[in-house]
Amino acid sequence: MRNDRWPARIAVLTILSIYAASLVVRRDIMPDGLFSDTAQEALRGIYLVQGRHFEVITSSIGNSAETLYLYLVGGMVSAFGPTTIAIQLTSWLFALAIIYLICRLTTCISETIPLWVPALTAVSSLWLFHYARSGLRAIAAPFFLALFAMLLDGAERRAETWRSILCGAVLGLSVYSYTACRVLPIAFVVYAMVRCLSEPEKRESFRRKYLVIAAAAFATSIPNLLFLAMRPQDFLARGDYVLVGSAWDKLVNVASTALLPFYYPDRYRDIAGPGFFFDSISAALTAQGHSPLRIVLIAPLILGLIQTKRWIVKPAFVFLLVSWISAILILGVAGPSLTRLFIVLPVYLVLASLGFWTLVTRVPAARTGLIVLLIWIWFAGDYDYFFGSVDSQVASIYFNSAATRVGEGAERLARQGRRVLCVVSRDKDVVVFLTHDESRRVGIVEFYERPLDPSQIPLSTFQADDLLIEKNESFNWFAGRFPKEWRAGYEDGFYDIRFPTRGN
């Protein structure tokens, strides 16, 4: 290891350490609690790990889902219990790995670029920061894209067969993580064709390596292929609920997806519309006015793209471009969902990094200014995320933070041996997850998109010691029906009604 690389690596380690600390700061405040989607994924992880089930796609809870990431979350829950930190730690580790891989990818393309350029560019991404804090399994998609691109670059540059085998194994594994990763095998096939056609003198060498990669990917994919053979509809229809709207809507969606890093239309700042259906985590970011990439990153991204002719001989660069185009055409028909398009985030960040460095090489005096600019983007973005744009009314449309408070309160009381009955308006899965270890002592009643009906609350049959009622305008009247002396108080999102005749 060259000694002159140590300062750069220490700088990157420092950046990653600060980034990790920023993930911990206010971790239960922004986002304010768990999203229902992440709670469902955690429950699936518990089912898989604690139930010792081997499944490539599980339909145990809610919509079907690939399981690789869920096994990791389930392992974290086994280690830390059903808590928010178990979900967050998993996504935090993936986010840090993505930043590291973006650094490696960028240096594969440009050997002269300092590591701090891609590192600071990556940590300035609010898109990555939001998903790292939200805990959704979609964060595995950019990880596998970046990892595969880096390994593919290494396999082409070096002769060792094990590199091609490892590269193929990662390609096969990626499809177990998130639906968007199905783009990667398609992108690889297109990439192989492009490489063979553009460099015919190396065609035979390419062919041997690509066959090894394909064979390794096939071997790793055997469980997936068996599932496909036995349940083709379940495999092929995974995620097809997002395909809504007319042919014209789909065409507009593809065009909007192509413009994603440069322009995000306001019509997509909602969870659903006539021609698209997104998810709460994507909408929770964009509905508050945030865009996928901050405007100051767009100019360097375009500059990096303009340099395509310069980088097109680099395998990693070619694969990133092919993956980007493939994602636009395949995923874009459903609209520019930040969750589904999260897989191409490394493409944007690598291009922006290359653009920044191109600027510095042409104007060396801009080096210090670039460092200051990137640090400012990073910290200003985090500050705005935490303090500057939190609209509780907008956020509450996409997830119910009170459900997290009810679940944590119920778990705390149940550990004391008390029987707890919870009444929530939505996101029951959040309460189910947080009280999983005490499920025998906890009952949950959800009134989703329907008025609260006291007759449906099993007060007499459940024999609860505490009744936790979510605090909101629709439920306040019900809490007010109980004598004041029964109210243990209002605790950050819920009323605690303690029944005096039940051991209190």
Side-chain angles (χ1 to χ4, degrees):
M1 186 180 298
R2 287 169 48 188
N3 291 332
D4 59 350
R5 292 181 179 177
W6 275 108
R9 296 186 180 188
I10 292 172
V12 171
L13 183 60
T14 301
I15 291 169
L16 289 175
S17 299
I18 297 173
Y19 190 81
S22 69
L23 290 171
V24 177
V25 172
R26 294 168 62 88
R27 68 178 186 85
D28 281 336
I29 302 300
M30 190 64 197
D32 187 12
L34 291 177
F35 287 88
S36 180
D37 292 347
T38 55
Q40 284 187 11
E41 291 187 352
L43 287 170
R44 295 184 192 115
I46 293 172
Y47 160 80
L48 293 168
V49 173
Q50 297 185 5
R52 299 184 179 181
H53 299 284
F54 177 74
E55 301 178 20
V56 297
I57 294 180
T58 183
S59 300
S60 58
I61 299 169
N63 295 321
S64 62
E66 295 84 0
T67 57
L68 177 59
Y69 188 87
L70 305 184
Y71 280 110
L72 299 176
V73 174
M76 283 290 190
V77 172
S78 297
F80 296 96
T83 60
T84 56
I85 191 67
I87 294 175
Q88 293 165 341
L89 269 176
T90 311
S91 59
W92 294 351
L93 291 173
F94 268 84
L96 292 170
I98 289 167
I99 296 167
Y100 170 76
L101 288 171
I102 287 170
C103 292
R104 291 289 306 274
L105 257 182
T106 310
T107 54
C108 284
I109 298 169
S110 172
E111 292 82 0
T112 62
I113 190 170
L115 287 173
W116 58 264
V117 175
L120 285 175
T121 303
V123 297
S124 69
S125 171
L126 197 60
W127 190 357
L128 177 61
F129 193 65
H130 176 67
Y131 277 80
R133 295 178 71 87
S134 301
L136 197 68
R137 80 184 194 284
I139 201 168
F143 168 81
F144 275 107
L145 169 63
L147 179 60
F148 178 71
M150 185 189 74
L151 293 174
L152 180 60
D153 188 272
E156 286 215 11
R157 290 172 184 262
R158 296 171 178 83
E160 298 94 337
T161 303
W162 67 266
R163 294 182 183 275
S164 297
I165 294 174
L166 179 60
C167 183
V170 167
L171 179 61
L173 279 176
S174 69
V175 184
Y176 295 95
S177 64
Y178 188 62
T179 315
C181 287
R182 296 180 184 185
V183 168
L184 298 182
I186 298 172
F188 171 66
V189 172
V190 175
Y191 165 86
M193 294 171 59
V194 169
R195 293 287 284 167
C196 289
L197 290 173
S198 62
E199 299 188 51
E201 70 280 2
K202 297 182 180 179
R203 188 173 299 166
E204 185 59 29
S205 173
F206 287 159
R207 187 183 66 83
R208 288 195 299 269
K209 288 185 177 181
Y210 297 156
L211 284 176
V212 172
I213 292 172
F218 178 86
T220 312
S221 299
I222 288 175
N224 244 339
L225 295 173
L226 292 174
F227 183 89
L228 172 62
M230 293 184 293
R231 297 166 60 181
Q233 180 63 24
D234 290 343
F235 183 88
L236 296 175
R238 167 75 196 101
D240 64 353
Y241 61 89
V242 304
L243 298 175
V244 299
S246 64
W248 173 252
D249 290 323
K250 292 178 174 60
L251 184 61
V252 172
N253 287 342
V254 170
S256 299
T257 300
L259 294 174
L260 177 63
F262 314 112
Y263 172 65
Y264 198 80
D266 287 340
R267 66 178 176 275
Y268 293 113
R269 296 184 188 276
D270 199 349
I271 197 168
F276 67 94
F277 188 87
F278 293 170
D279 62 278
S280 59
I281 295 179
S282 174
L285 184 66
T286 58
Q288 296 186 53
H290 294 299
S291 293
L293 289 185
R294 293 192 169 270
I295 193 167
V296 290
L297 291 179
I298 293 176
L301 192 157
I302 294 173
L303 183 57
L305 195 57
I306 291 173
Q307 302 293 311
T308 294
K309 186 176 180 180
R310 177 182 178 186
W311 313 116
I312 202 66
V313 296
K314 306 289 186 176
F317 187 83
V318 177
F319 183 76
L320 289 178
L321 288 184
V322 170
S323 298
W324 186 13
I325 296 170
S326 301
I328 290 171
L329 298 176
I330 298 170
L331 303 177
V333 294
S337 160
L338 297 197
T339 298
R340 292 189 287 274
L341 272 298
F342 198 29
I343 188 171
V344 294
L345 178 65
V347 180
Y348 304 144
L349 296 179
V350 168
L351 284 173
S353 300
L354 292 172
F356 275 131
W357 187 238
T358 299
L359 177 63
V360 171
T361 55
R362 294 181 179 179
V363 187
R367 185 187 187 99
T368 302
L370 175 60
I371 296 174
V372 173
L373 175 63
L374 287 173
I375 293 175
W376 176 81
I377 297 171
W378 175 14
F379 285 95
D382 286 3
Y383 183 87
D384 186 40
Y385 184 80
F386 286 136
F387 306 107
S389 62
V390 178
D391 187 331
S392 59
Q393 290 184 337
V394 170
S396 66
I397 297 173
Y398 303 109
F399 73 107
N400 180 21
S401 59
T404 302
R405 310 302 168 225
V406 170
E408 291 172 336
E411 191 274 340
R412 185 170 59 251
L413 292 168
R415 275 194 288 109
Q416 299 171 10
R418 306 175 70 83
R419 290 177 62 80
V420 187
L421 184 58
C422 305
V423 179
V424 294
S425 62
R426 55 191 287 197
D427 292 355
K428 175 183 176 180
D429 289 325
V430 172
V431 184
V432 172
F433 167 68
L434 293 170
T435 60
H436 181 269
D437 288 351
E438 303 293 342
S439 58
R440 290 178 299 174
R441 295 192 180 95
V442 178
I444 307 165
V445 184
E446 180 186 55
F447 293 93
Y448 180 61
E449 294 187 344
R450 61 191 177 105
L452 186 149
D453 182 358
S455 66
Q456 297 181 19
I457 301 174
L459 291 173
S460 58
T461 57
F462 188 77
Q463 295 295 304
D465 297 310
D466 290 79
L467 175 65
L468 305 190
I469 306 170
E470 177 187 323
K471 189 179 189 300
N472 65 48
E473 293 181 358
S474 301
F475 289 6
N476 290 346
W477 66 270
F478 179 61
R481 292 175 54 177
F482 295 93
K484 289 184 179 180
E485 58 270 20
W486 289 13
R487 300 180 200 173
Y490 160 60
E491 294 190 23
D492 189 22
F494 63 89
Y495 294 101
D496 182 359
I497 308 298
R498 294 191 176 181
F499 299 102
T501 58
R502 296 175 184 170
N504 296 289

